[in-house]
Amino acid sequence: MVSTKPLIGEVYYPPETIVRQANLPDYDAEHQAMLADLAGEWGRIAREEFEWFAPWKKTLDDSNAPFYQWFVGGAVNIVHNALDRHLRTWRRNKVALLWEGENYDQRSFTYHQLAREVCRFASVLRAMGVNKGDRVTIYMGRIPEIVVAMLACAKIGAVHSVVYGGFSVEALHGRIEDSASKVAITSDGAWLRGNIVPLKEIMDEALQRSPTVQTVIVVKRTGQDVHMEPGRDLWYHDLMKLPIAETCIPTEEVDAEDPLFLLYTSGTTGRPKAILHTHGGYMVGVATTLKWVFDLKEDDTWWCAADPGWVTGHSYIVYGPLLLGATSVLYEGAPNHPFPDRWWDIVERHGVTVLYTAPTAIRGLMRFGDAWPNRHDLSSLRLLGSVGEPINPEAWKWYHRVIGKERCPIMDTWWQTETAHFMITPLPGTPLKPGSATLPLPGVQVDVLNEDGDPVGPNEEGYLVITAPWPGMLRTIYGDPDRYVQQYWSRFPGVYMTGDSAKRDEDGYIWVIGRVDDVIKVSGYRLGTAEVESALVSHPSVAEAAVIGMPDEVRGSVIQAYCILAQGVEPTQRLIEILRDHVAHEVGPIAKPATIEFVDKLPKTRSGKIMRRVLKARALGLDEGDLSTLEE
Ligand code: PRX
């Protein structure tokens, strides 16, 4: 609850004008309403803010926890709420998606135009044999067609599985295979800093390892020659010209609990897991939290500068803003291309009013100095946001002073792929402390626990957990319900384990510290140690590998790898480069180790598990802690 006492520490109070116009003016009242009747209050919001084809019978079914269900028996479709319903209002001709290419190409779609594109592509997908419940893999750059493809899948009740365009062959292959997708959608390439990322080529190589895909639909973006496999590969622009591309088809009625998408994310061990989200709860949670936290109004131009291939893009480039009838900006390229003021130029030219990005991007742009943003009129900005990792106070203050001109409160939003939407975050009226995500949203119940599951005292570090269900919560790990229970709900029974550690200060403000598992955040991107290690050992010269995250000023963390070489292999500088490129080729450039060290042994427990914390402590020159389980 918001404290009425003077707050402790360095506090920034929001301007009165911001507080006065907030969409959720009274945190305490909403918080109390949620505490008194969680299901009742979410039910009220779901009824008032969204259109349902048929009402639900039960708002929250916890009889089979942790397999919670929301809006049980309700008939809905997120696309009906994100597109169709706006067409009956003046928003029909409002810009829904405003796109800028790295080469300054511009395309914008009104709600009407976007709905039409989505209809056409949805009917193409149907004609390709995609039915309700079928999985479709989408692997593209940041172009409008990725949004169209996602919405088209949802419209017909198919389940999209977007794989981030920065991932590479093995990562893509694993995700296609696990989801058993029949259809894949990609583009010839993606522009990045003036270079082409050869997406189609990577897709072809991944498909050699994945036999399930029968059809590949290819969007032409970069225009270089690409191989088109006869009988399998089809051009998007050819299909969209055919009579099968109908411009007006009804949106499929689905159950609120029917799957909307899979999104793979890295966890503690083994292969990435497919987080499953559903139409009803996801829709209600994402739109409501966006409305509350970033206070979107009809005249806002919202820019979430993430990639649609990560959850931030799913929830807050695609679904959230469209559900609210807002204008969402999508930019294709790198923040510093051709110059370090590209983002500020975009803010100025498009009159962006709310900018949402990640600490790594802020730190990266901060390095270029104040002159670049100062060349631009950034007065259109009203609110700023941050997500993906803890923001260091220095970057927070720069963002606040140089970008927000001390007028724009910063919403430091904590959440995860699993939560689908903001969980711990300020509202526009919340007094801010740089580096703290502040307070849980109304309806979100969190705690910080010690090893025994007891709440820790103020300013003590512990496990960040969530103690009550929320509408956008993941429903399961696709194909592996046991792992869902084991991974999230078994450390403290009945309590959701976030995998993060945190502290809570005297004012109840949450300070997220970082992951407590084997997840490494590189530039805010979530990578599992296991994924990178298995890429390293897939190279014939490596017998064993271990990776850890090392602190980095701009990227948050970078990967440091330790490899035991196969017998007879020479440890050369050249081999280090080969292995780094191998990881980039298998997982993606973000996973490329910054350093690789060749070693004879790795610290392991007696049961053979690599003790990464020992490696990390050594690398940082810290105390190695309890070594009693270390094998000799
Ligand atoms: O460690 C937390 C960190 O990002 C993790 C979730 O990563 P992912 O599923 O990729 O989703 C990222 C975008 C929502 C969390 O477990 N994290 C995310 N936001 C914050 C954060 N850490 C601190 N402060 C944040 N605002």
Side-chain angles (χ1 to χ4, degrees):
M1 213 192 301
V2 176
S3 172
T4 47
K5 307 189 301 275
L7 298 172
I8 295 172
E10 189 178 18
V11 183
Y12 289 67
Y13 289 89
E16 198 38 50
T17 43
I18 299 270
V19 181
R20 230 181 298 125
Q21 63 174 349
N23 281 340
L24 181 66
D26 192 342
Y27 176 95
D28 284 338
E30 188 56 44
H31 184 71
Q32 290 305 333
M34 288 280 188
L35 277 182
D37 182 5
L38 183 73
E41 185 57 8
W42 277 118
R44 178 190 68 75
I45 292 169
R47 243 185 331 269
E48 288 175 6
E49 305 282 330
F50 305 91
E51 291 183 1
W52 299 76
F53 300 125
W56 57 91
K57 298 190 177 65
K58 196 162 189 199
T59 308
L60 170 62
D61 182 355
D62 54 7
S63 60
N64 189 27
F67 297 94
Y68 292 93
Q69 298 202 315
W70 285 84
F71 311 110
V72 184
V76 71
N77 189 309
I78 196 167
V79 174
H80 175 81
N81 283 282
L83 294 177
D84 307 353
R85 67 168 170 162
H86 300 310
L87 304 187
R88 300 193 309 263
T89 71
W90 71 271
R91 284 183 186 148
R92 184 181 178 83
N93 296 322
K94 173 178 178 175
V95 173
L97 184 66
L98 202 168
W99 177 78
E100 178 162 314
E102 192 180 74
N103 58 357
Y104 294 90
D105 281 355
Q106 303 225 356
R107 287 162 73 193
S108 63
F109 295 78
T110 63
Y111 274 89
H112 167 63
Q113 290 164 332
L114 186 60
R116 235 173 135 256
E117 285 294 293
V118 169
C119 274
R120 293 169 70 207
F121 195 53
S123 41
V124 165
L125 286 176
R126 272 220 180 110
M128 299 290 119
V130 177
N131 293 314
K132 191 170 166 182
D134 288 346
R135 277 81 53 212
V136 174
T137 294
I138 301 175
Y139 179 64
M140 269 195 243
R142 288 188 286 261
I143 51 176
E145 286 78 6
I146 190 171
V147 180
V148 171
M150 290 166 71
L151 293 166
C153 288
K155 186 176 174 85
I156 58 174
V159 182
H160 56 73
S161 166
V162 180
V163 179
Y164 168 55
F167 275 132
S168 200
V169 180
E170 183 52 33
L172 176 60
H173 154 73
R175 287 157 174 78
I176 292 175
E177 187 168 73
D178 187 79
S179 63
S181 295
K182 283 195 297 193
V183 171
I185 308 163
T186 189
S187 58
D188 50 356
W191 288 116
L192 191 66
R193 290 191 185 85
N195 298 316
I196 293 174
V197 183
L199 297 179
K200 175 65 168 61
E201 211 176 292
I202 296 169
M203 175 64 86
D204 286 341
E205 205 179 326
L207 291 184
Q208 283 169 11
R209 305 180 195 180
S210 308
T212 58
V213 171
Q214 293 153 9
T215 307
V216 180
I217 301 175
V218 188
V219 177
K220 186 171 265 189
R221 169 62 189 144
T222 42
Q224 79 282 20
D225 276 341
V226 291
H227 168 73
M228 294 293 279
E229 182 72 23
R232 187 194 70 184
D233 300 353
L234 299 160
W235 286 107
Y236 178 92
H237 58 263
D238 287 341
L239 292 167
M240 292 288 268
K241 270 189 249 154
L242 297 176
I244 51 167
E246 289 181 53
T247 53
C248 191
I249 63 163
T251 297
E252 181 88 23
E253 289 189 18
V254 300
D255 190 276
E257 281 292 308
D258 276 344
L260 169 64
F261 65 82
L262 306 179
L263 191 53
Y264 285 82
T265 190
S266 306
T268 308
T269 49
R271 290 155 62 106
K273 42 192 197 262
I275 304 300
L276 185 135
H277 286 292
T278 58
H279 274 255
Y282 177 83
M283 169 182 86
V284 173
V286 166
T288 307
T289 53
L290 181 59
K291 180 173 170 180
W292 285 350
V293 175
F294 285 103
D295 231 3
L296 291 192
K297 303 286 195 292
E298 283 296 356
D299 54 356
D300 269 316
T301 298
W302 157 258
W303 183 19
C304 167
D307 191 287
W310 295 86
V311 74
T312 313
H314 278 53
S315 297
Y316 298 117
I317 296 174
V318 183
Y319 289 109
L322 298 180
L323 285 163
L324 296 179
T327 298
S328 185
V329 175
L330 178 64
Y331 165 58
E332 179 182 37
N336 55 351
H337 189 85
F339 298 110
D341 62 343
R342 181 61 187 268
W343 272 20
W344 319 127
D345 182 35
I346 292 176
V347 168
E348 179 176 6
R349 274 187 292 107
H350 297 297
V352 171
T353 55
V354 188
L355 171 66
Y356 184 42
T357 182
T360 185
I362 298 164
R363 290 190 297 259
L365 292 169
M366 184 169 108
R367 257 187 335 171
F368 296 112
D370 300 5
W372 290 104
N374 286 346
R375 293 176 56 203
H376 295 276
D377 174 9
L378 304 179
S379 62
S380 58
L381 289 170
R382 192 178 85 240
L383 285 170
L384 299 171
S386 173
V387 61
E389 53 179 324
I391 179 164
N392 48 314
E394 193 197 352
W396 193 101
K397 287 177 192 169
W398 183 83
Y399 196 30
H400 186 254
R401 180 174 54 81
V402 179
I403 307 306
K405 313 291 181 211
E406 296 175 346
R407 289 180 294 107
C408 306
I410 298 174
M411 305 294 106
D412 177 359
T413 60
W414 178 92
W415 56 295
Q416 310 178 294
T417 308
E418 291 87 342
T419 71
H421 51 73
F422 311 141
M423 298 294 277
I424 304 172
T425 167
L427 292 166
T430 309
L432 305 173
K433 300 187 187 187
S436 168
T438 76
L439 302 163
L441 281 176
V444 173
Q445 292 170 36
V446 304
D447 214 334
V448 184
L449 305 180
N450 66 16
E451 294 289 340
D452 302 325
D454 299 319
V456 299
N459 297 313
E460 279 176 42
E461 187 173 340
Y463 297 106
L464 179 66
V465 299
I466 306 174
T467 57
W470 64 100
M473 65 196 304
L474 76 165
R475 297 305 194 262
T476 190
I477 294 176
Y478 176 73
D480 203 349
D482 293 343
R483 191 170 170 202
Y484 165 69
V485 177
Q486 192 269 330
Q487 175 117 24
Y488 298 107
W489 301 93
S490 62
R491 178 68 174 78
F492 305 113
V495 167
Y496 171 84
M497 183 79 171
T498 65
D500 281 1
S501 66
K503 292 179 186 175
R504 189 156 38 188
D505 71 13
E506 300 83 345
D507 296 315
Y509 276 44
I510 304 279
W511 299 75
V512 176
I513 297 163
R515 301 290 305 189
V516 284
D517 54 11
D518 292 324
V519 168
I520 304 176
K521 282 254 159 175
V522 179
S523 301
Y525 294 126
R526 182 164 161 182
L527 291 169
T529 49
E531 257 182 302
V532 185
E533 288 164 2
S534 73
L536 283 165
V537 296
S538 74
H539 194 276
S541 48
V542 178
E544 274 191 78
V547 306
I548 57 170
M550 288 293 281
D552 180 87
E553 253 184 39
V554 173
R555 287 180 282 177
S557 305
V558 291
I559 291 177
Q560 179 155 326
Y562 299 88
C563 296
I564 302 179
L565 293 178
Q567 276 226 308
V569 176
E570 284 294 312
T572 60
Q573 186 58 38
R574 170 97 188 99
L575 183 58
I576 291 179
E577 289 317 312
I578 291 172
L579 292 176
R580 292 179 69 226
D581 289 344
H582 178 69
V583 174
H585 180 261
E586 292 295 306
V587 186
I590 40 164
K592 201 168 178 170
T595 50
I596 296 182
E597 209 177 296
F598 298 126
V599 293
D600 297 329
K601 265 194 197 165
L602 289 168
K604 286 187 189 159
T605 62
R606 282 188 206 99
S607 60
K609 280 215 282 200
I610 295 170
M611 295 178 83
R612 295 187 190 81
R613 87 176 156 75
V614 173
L615 285 171
K616 186 152 181 175
R618 276 184 202 163
L620 292 169
L622 300 173
D623 176 18
E624 292 171 9
D626 178 9
L627 294 180
S628 59
T629 58
L630 189 71
E631 108 192 307
E632 204 26 72

